[in-house]
Amino acid sequence: MRRSRAFIPTSKEAPSDASLASHIFLARAGFISQSAAGLYNYMPLAKRVIKKIETIVNEEMSKVGAQEVELSFVTPAELWKKSGRIEKFGKELLRFKDRKDNMFVLGPTHEEMMVELIKNRVTSYKNLPLNLYQIKTKFRDEARPRFGLMRGREFIMKDGYSFHASTEDLDREFEEMEAAYKRILTRLGLDYRVVEADSGAIGGSGSKELMVIADSGEDTIAICSKCEYGANVEAAISGERKEVPEAPEAEFNKFSTPDVKSIEELAAFFKIDAYYTVKCVAKKLVYENESEIVLFFLRGCDNLQEVKAVNAAGALEIQDASEEELKALGLVPGFIGPLDQDKAKHVIDTSLKNAKNMVCGANELDYHYVGADLSVISDVAYFADISEVNAGDSCPKCDGELSFTKGIEVGHIFKLGTTYSEALKAEYLDENGKAQPFIMGTYGMGISRLVASVIEQHHDENGCIWTKETAPYMVNIMVSNIKDEAQMAAGEKLYKELQEKNVEVMLDDRKERFGFKMKDAELIGFPYTVIIGKELVNGNVQVYERFTTEKTAVNADEILSYVMDII
RNA sequence: CGGGGUGUAGCUCAGUAUGGUUAGAGUACCUGGUUUGGGACCAGGGGGCCGAAGGUUCGAGUCCUUUCACCCCGACCA
C-alpha cells in the first residue's frame, strides 16, 4: 500500500475521553473511530489486525477439529424466552420488532441459536462429539461501555460450543480448548494466565478465564509465585496457613467491652491478633422474589468476598444492610456474634470451623465473649468459603505465595452441562436408544478486546508496538525526501520486491519531512521501518526496529535479503 | 440504574459569572514559496444553524424551560 493513497487518519491529539493506552493510540493512529457510546468504526488498519487475529483463531480451531459456522445476528426472541434468558439478560438484550410485529434480539451470545441449529440434526451418540464456532459481532447493551474496544456494546467475539455424550468427553474437550486458547494467545505474543473463575449462578462443573496481564485490566486475579495456580479473586482460595499466631488463653466468659465495635479496636482492646476475632458482615441478599438479611462470619483478619457470598447464599444479588434493618431484627451492630443467636441466616467461613480461643460479639450492647469455642456449632451451622484471599496467603496447590495482579479477560471457557439442551429440549439417542440431553461446553474469546489487549501490553509513549503476528503491515518503507530521485527509486524498488515476496508492506511516499514520517510510523507501530534517506549516497539505508527502537545501517544492495531475514 | 460533568471549526479547547461589532486560538486542510534526519517556516485561503427545540429580549454562544448526546464515579457485566 502506498501511504499517499491509504486511509489512515492519524492525529497528534487524542480524543478527550480516552484514558487507556490502547484507546488513545488506536484512535490517534487511525485504527478506530467512535460512532456512539460503545460503538466503533474499524478503519483499514484495524480491519487488517482483526483479520490477522481471526486467521490465527481459525487455524488453531481447525487443528482441534472445531468447525466454523455463522449464525444470524438477529435472533428470534422466542428462543430467549424458552431458555429463560430474556429476563436474566434484562436490558443488555437489545430487542426490537420487525414489520410483522415479531420480537427479535441482537445476539449477545449464541447458546440458544447453536442448540437450535443442531437440534434434530444431530440425533445420535455416533455423531458426537461436535464442536462448532463462529467469529461474529455481538451486541450487549451495556449500562456503561468504556475504555475503547475493551468494553464496547458492539464487539467481535469468537464463540464456540461443543456437544458431548458424556462428562468425561466434555472434560477432554475442555482441556483441548484450553490448550488451543493458550496457543492462540502465545502466538499473538501476549503475556497471559489461565485462572479459575467463578461459575456463578449458571452452575456447571467449572470455568476458566484467560487473562492477559495488564495494569489496566478490570479483573483482579491471585497468582502463585511458584506454580501455575491462578484464580480470579471471585473464586480464589488459599492454602493452609503456614504460621498461626499464638492463641490467647482465656476461659469462656462474657466480657465488658464498652464502645469496642471494630475489629481493630477489638484486637487492640484484648491485645490479640485479629485472627482470633470473629467478624460479622451483614448483607442484604436479593433472591428472585424476596430478600433477606444474612450474617456472614469470618476471621477478623479476612474480608468477605461478595461473589462467593452470593453463591453461598444462592442469591442473585448482594447489597449492604443498613443499621436500621439490623436493629429491626433485634441485632446489635458492632456486637453481633454467631453464638446463641438465630435472628438471621448465618453463613460461616470454613476457616472458623472448630475454631477455638475466639473473641466474638455477645449479641448484647458493649459485650463480647472471650475464649469462645466454635466447635459447638460446627455440626449445625452452615459453613462455606466466603473469604477473599489476601496477598501473601499460601497457594492451595503448592508451598508458594499468592499475590495480586490485574488482568483483561480475553477468554472464558465453560463446562455448561445440560442447562441449555434441557431448556430447549435438544436430545440425542444413546447406545440404548434412550433420549439424552446434550452435554455442552462453551468457549468464548473476545477478538476486538484482543486487539486492545495487544496494545495494552505493547506500547510506549510514542504509540503502538504491534507484534509480528498482529501487525497490520510488517514493513514500512520510509523515503525521507521524495524529491530525491535516487531515494524514491530505491524505495519503489524495495516496495516492489517485498510485494513480490508477499510481505505486507507500506511505502511512505508522502511529501513530508523526516521527523513527521518517523513519528507517524512509530504511532502506527510497524514492526520495521526501512529508512531510505541521506545515507543512501554512501550506499546505506537503515532499518528501524519498533520494538527496540534501534536503527541499524544496512548496505542498500543487501536490504531485501536483510529484511526477509528478520521478519 | 443512582451521583457528577461536558456539548462552540475535522481534532484539542478559549469565550458563557455581568447578553451588545462580522464568534476566536492552536492544530489539521487548500494555494504559493522557502526548507528536507525527529510532528519545519513565511504569506494567503476555505471551513461554524455555538447539540436540538421552545421561550425571555430591541438584541442570545451567553439568561430561562424542555430534550438529546457523550464522558466520569458507582451498581451491573454469559
Side-chain angles (χ1 to χ4, degrees):
Chain A
M1 187 72 211
R2 285 174 188 275
R3 187 69 169 84
S4 58
R5 309 303 317 152
F7 178 54
I8 307 173
T10 57
S11 154
K12 229 191 278 194
E13 211 90 47
S16 54
D17 47 61
S19 56
L20 283 198
S22 62
H23 189 186
I24 292 171
F25 290 132
L26 288 173
R28 278 192 55 202
F31 285 73
I32 59 171
S33 109
Q34 185 170 6
S35 69
L39 304 179
Y40 290 86
N41 297 315
Y42 301 123
M43 292 186 279
L45 289 180
K47 194 66 194 158
R48 291 180 74 94
V49 174
I50 289 165
K51 278 189 184 163
K52 289 270 171 93
I53 295 174
E54 288 177 352
T55 301
I56 291 172
V57 170
N58 283 330
E59 285 172 8
E60 294 300 334
M61 284 303 108
S62 140
K63 277 185 201 166
V64 293
Q67 301 169 70
E68 188 177 15
V69 297
E70 185 162 343
L71 307 183
S72 69
F73 182 34
V74 174
T75 61
E78 193 59 28
L79 271 181
W80 295 83
K81 285 181 191 152
K82 274 191 208 164
S83 71
R85 285 213 290 184
I86 198 143
E87 285 92 20
K88 193 171 155 36
F89 253 101
K91 288 189 173 172
E92 274 193 39
L93 266 187
L94 182 64
R95 15 184 131 190
F96 53 92
K97 286 177 176 172
D98 69 2
R99 66 204 297 164
K100 290 183 286 187
D101 224 30
N102 289 325
M103 179 102 83
F104 288 87
V105 309
L106 284 187
T109 173
H110 282 208
E111 279 81 7
E112 285 85 353
M113 276 299 278
M114 197 63 93
V115 169
E116 196 66 14
L117 180 71
I118 68 141
K119 180 179 168 183
N120 295 329
R121 294 194 173 89
V122 177
T123 47
S124 161
Y125 72 96
K126 292 174 194 162
N127 299 324
L128 298 177
L130 177 68
N131 188 328
L132 300 175
Y133 76 98
Q134 63 172 344
I135 296 174
K136 201 171 173 74
T137 297
K138 300 286 182 289
F139 192 92
R140 291 179 197 178
D141 201 358
E142 292 258 4
R144 189 148 97 85
R146 62 191 116 170
F147 303 140
L149 294 188
M150 209 62 93
R151 180 171 289 282
R153 290 142 95 203
E154 189 178 289
F155 56 98
I156 304 172
M157 182 164 86
K158 175 265 166 182
D159 50 321
Y161 309 86
S162 69
F163 302 87
H164 308 272
S166 71
T167 53
E168 292 72 27
D169 196 48
L170 170 62
D171 291 347
R172 175 203 53 74
E173 187 82 8
F174 187 83
E175 276 177 34
E176 266 193 48
M177 291 303 290
E178 178 181 340
Y181 272 31
K182 284 165 132 178
R183 285 196 299 274
I184 291 167
L185 297 184
T186 301
R187 283 180 63 181
L188 292 175
L190 291 167
D191 178 21
Y192 65 92
R193 196 94 180 192
V194 182
V195 305
E196 308 281 337
D198 167 45
S199 296
I202 274 200
S205 49
S207 80
K208 286 186 178 179
E209 292 167 334
L210 287 96
M211 294 283 188
V212 166
I213 306 299
D215 291 336
S216 56
E218 292 188 81
D219 292 273
T220 303
I221 56 181
I223 57 174
C224 176
S225 57
K226 284 192 178 169
C227 75
E228 286 290 302
Y229 179 77
N232 194 311
V233 283
E234 295 172 354
I237 50 173
S238 39
E240 285 288 309
R241 219 172 219 270
K242 283 181 203 155
E243 287 169 21
V244 175
E246 197 180 331
E249 300 273 332
E251 290 290 309
F252 180 71
N253 208 340
K254 192 156 82 177
F255 218 93
S256 171
T257 54
D259 236 15
V260 177
K261 290 181 175 177
S262 73
I263 291 297
E264 293 74 34
E265 290 165 348
L266 191 61
F269 185 90
F270 286 107
K271 298 186 174 59
I272 58 172
D273 193 292
Y275 178 79
Y276 289 104
T277 64
V278 176
K279 175 193 280 186
C280 172
V281 182
K283 292 283 179 184
K284 184 176 185 173
L285 277 294
V286 181
Y287 303 87
E288 203 158 333
N289 300 314
E290 51 179 1
S291 66
E292 68 172 332
I293 301 294
V294 177
L295 304 177
F296 295 94
F297 293 98
L298 308 117
R299 284 190 185 267
C301 54
D302 291 330
N303 288 316
L304 182 70
Q305 213 307 316
E306 294 198 353
V307 172
K308 288 183 180 179
V310 169
N311 291 343
L316 296 173
E317 202 186 321
I318 187 165
Q319 297 172 350
D320 287 338
S322 68
E323 285 214 3
E324 290 68 41
E325 286 171 312
L326 298 182
K327 283 175 181 162
L329 288 173
L331 291 160
V332 193
F335 301 92
I336 302 173
L339 302 177
D340 307 331
Q341 179 267 109
D342 58 357
K343 295 182 165 65
K345 187 198 261 186
H346 292 188
V347 177
I348 304 176
D349 190 58
T350 44
S351 74
L352 283 173
K353 194 154 197 169
N354 297 320
K356 294 183 176 61
N357 304 311
M358 302 301 292
V359 174
C360 65
N363 300 305
E364 188 176 327
L365 189 64
D366 294 342
Y367 282 95
H368 278 87
Y369 289 127
V370 299
D373 182 348
L374 298 192
S375 58
V376 298
I377 57 168
S378 290
D379 292 333
V380 290
Y382 175 46
F383 287 87
D385 171 33
I386 51 170
S387 60
E388 187 159 281
V389 298
N390 298 301
D393 280 2
S394 51
C395 171
K397 297 275 170 72
C398 75
D399 63 347
E401 259 189 22
L402 297 182
S403 64
F404 290 129
T405 185
K406 291 282 184 179
I408 302 165
E409 182 192 340
V410 295
H412 198 161
I413 56 177
F414 216 110
K415 293 180 187 174
L416 267 186
T418 54
T419 314
Y420 293 92
S421 46
E422 277 177 15
L424 299 169
K425 298 188 174 54
E427 299 174 329
Y428 65 93
L429 293 183
D430 67 12
E431 304 84 325
N432 306 314
K434 199 175 158 209
Q436 302 283 1
F438 292 105
I439 296 170
M440 293 178 59
T442 178
Y443 318 94
M445 186 167 252
I447 304 294
S448 42
R449 186 176 276 185
L450 276 170
V451 175
S453 302
V454 171
I455 298 308
E456 283 304 314
Q457 271 193 1
H458 303 282
H459 68 270
D460 62 14
E461 66 278 9
N462 291 319
C464 307
I465 304 176
W466 295 101
T467 58
K468 288 185 182 180
E469 289 268 15
T470 56
Y473 290 91
M474 184 66 84
V475 179
N476 176 46
I477 302 169
M478 197 268 265
V479 178
S480 179
N481 180 1
I482 64 163
K483 284 188 185 168
D484 183 317
E485 287 177 17
Q487 287 184 19
M488 203 55 218
E492 291 281 2
K493 178 166 173 279
L494 181 60
Y495 178 55
K496 201 173 198 177
E497 288 168 341
L498 286 173
Q499 278 185 322
E500 278 166 8
K501 293 198 178 288
N502 289 322
V503 175
E504 292 174 298
V505 58
M506 177 73 75
L507 175 67
D508 195 342
D509 56 348
R510 291 174 300 172
K511 182 182 172 295
E512 294 288 352
R513 295 160 64 93
F514 178 86
F516 182 91
K517 290 203 249 195
M518 276 306 286
K519 286 284 186 196
D520 213 47
E522 283 170 326
L523 179 60
I524 292 169
F526 304 103
Y528 300 100
T529 292
V530 177
I531 303 167
I532 299 176
K534 63 183 184 184
E535 289 295 311
L536 190 63
V537 290
N538 304 322
N540 281 336
V541 298
Q542 285 163 302
V543 174
Y544 170 79
E545 188 183 351
R546 184 68 183 86
F547 179 64
T548 60
T549 70
E550 277 170 13
K551 289 177 195 159
T552 310
V554 179
N555 188 305
D557 298 331
E558 294 161 13
I559 184 63
L560 179 63
S561 58
Y562 183 90
V563 168
M564 294 309 295
D565 215 37
I566 56 173
I567 64 174

